[in-house]
Amino acid sequence: MRLQRGRLFDHVQLVVRDLAASAEFYRAVLGELGIVVTDTGAGCFFADELVVSALDSPTASGVLTGRQHLAFQAKDRATVDAFHRTALAHGGRDNGAPGLRPYHPAYYAAFVLDPDGNNIEAVYQGEARRSAPSVVIEI
């Protein structure tokens, strides 16, 4: 089986009730995955293609996004385990302990609910070779 993973989205936005609580949560759990969170100071923060905005941010239009499912790539099973532990220690709620899933034989994942109830997953799909680490856009 061949799975294509990469740069499908330009960005994904979550609009949250408590930006500070979400920033603490995402800094911790995404840090376990090696993803840097950048604070803009303008009512939102970024983590690669993910934008998390406060309800009163100009980009939010005063509307919460509602429950979403986001799955982040992990480099190995130990990283999935660390993601789950860290999420629970930073306000996340368990939504599926680390383990193999029936989606395919190597699918190892953990699920947590973030402070707004979004279903956040870390997944290791098994050994893989990447064609490119990422795409760089220079403006």
Side-chain angles (χ1 to χ4, degrees):
M1 177 177 17
R2 182 172 182 228
L3 296 174
Q4 181 72 35
R5 294 290 185 259
R7 312 301 287 201
L8 177 62
F9 297 103
D10 181 79
H11 69 279
V12 173
Q13 180 183 21
L14 296 178
V15 180
V16 298
R17 294 181 202 285
D18 184 339
L19 189 64
S22 290
E24 178 188 346
F25 175 84
Y26 282 100
R27 270 195 177 81
V29 299
L30 295 179
E32 291 292 349
L33 302 174
I35 300 169
V36 175
V37 173
T38 304
D39 184 3
T40 67
C44 66
F45 60 86
F46 292 90
D48 205 333
E49 297 97 348
L50 176 64
V51 180
V52 179
S53 302
L55 187 58
D56 61 355
S57 167
T59 61
S61 303
V63 179
L64 294 170
T65 48
R67 186 173 172 176
Q68 306 296 318
H69 175 195
L70 303 177
F72 294 100
Q73 298 172 17
K75 66 180 179 178
D76 53 32
R77 289 181 177 192
T79 303
V80 172
D81 297 343
F83 162 90
H84 190 258
R85 276 192 312 275
T86 300
L88 297 180
H90 287 86
R93 292 174 286 145
D94 180 48
N95 200 31
L100 289 169
R101 300 295 190 259
Y103 316 133
H104 69 71
Y107 199 105
Y108 187 87
F111 300 85
V112 296
L113 299 178
D114 77 1
D116 281 83
N118 294 298
N119 185 27
I120 308 303
E121 174 185 1
V123 58
Y124 174 63
Q125 303 245 12
E127 292 296 320
R129 181 185 58 80
R130 293 194 176 272
S131 61
S134 66
V135 173
V136 177
I137 300 171
E138 296 184 21
I139 300 173

